[in-house]
Amino acid sequence: QVQLVESGGGLVQAGGSLRLSCAASGSIFSIYSMGWYRQAPGKQREWVASVYSDGTNNYADSVKGRFTISRDNAKNTLYLQMNSLKPEDTALYYCRMGASWGQGTQVTVSS
């Protein structure tokens, strides 16, 4: 069971950017599916983006064109580049690798 630690969250103004990182405790080379999810106050956890070992990426409609998911197998790290941030993006962001989950990192976007 791989352990995951997210980082890179913080408070940013609308229109700004953040890059989230998810560092794994072991090799991620063999993990097929990875993703980012978020949970805003009073709402259920929402899927944001996924990346697969075959090179395909998928995004929720709400973040298409603004967010980019990527994985670096050599660094055992998953990333989420977030640009043109909106107040609606405010949430606790979680990473997933296979069936393993991180503890979350808070992203707050002010207007």
Side-chain angles (χ1 to χ4, degrees):
Q1 189 75 17
V2 64
Q3 294 191 48
L4 308 178
V5 179
E6 300 100 330
S7 62
L11 194 152
V12 64
Q13 289 183 290
S17 298
L18 286 173
R19 188 184 74 162
L20 305 185
S21 299
C22 178
S25 61
S27 175
I28 65 171
F29 176 78
S30 63
I31 302 175
Y32 172 68
S33 173
M34 303 181 186
W36 287 94
Y37 302 75
R38 65 189 183 187
Q39 187 168 22
K43 303 185 71 176
Q44 292 186 320
R45 185 175 297 181
E46 173 190 31
W47 170 73
V48 174
S50 297
V51 60
Y52 304 91
S53 58
D54 64 5
T56 61
N57 295 351
N58 291 316
Y59 298 94
D61 288 341
S62 59
V63 306
K64 282 181 180 177
R66 301 188 297 121
F67 290 11
T68 303
I69 188 171
S70 61
R71 60 190 284 179
D72 189 334
N73 291 338
K75 296 181 178 179
N76 297 329
T77 303
L78 176 71
Y79 301 98
L80 184 68
Q81 178 66 47
M82 305 186 295
N83 298 326
S84 301
L85 283 162
K86 305 174 180 179
E88 308 93 89
D89 297 319
T90 295
L92 188 64
Y93 283 72
Y94 299 89
C95 67
R96 176 189 59 78
M97 298 185 182
S100 299
W101 290 82
Q103 84 291 341
T105 185
Q106 179 67 40
V107 171
T108 302
V109 184
S110 65
S111 60

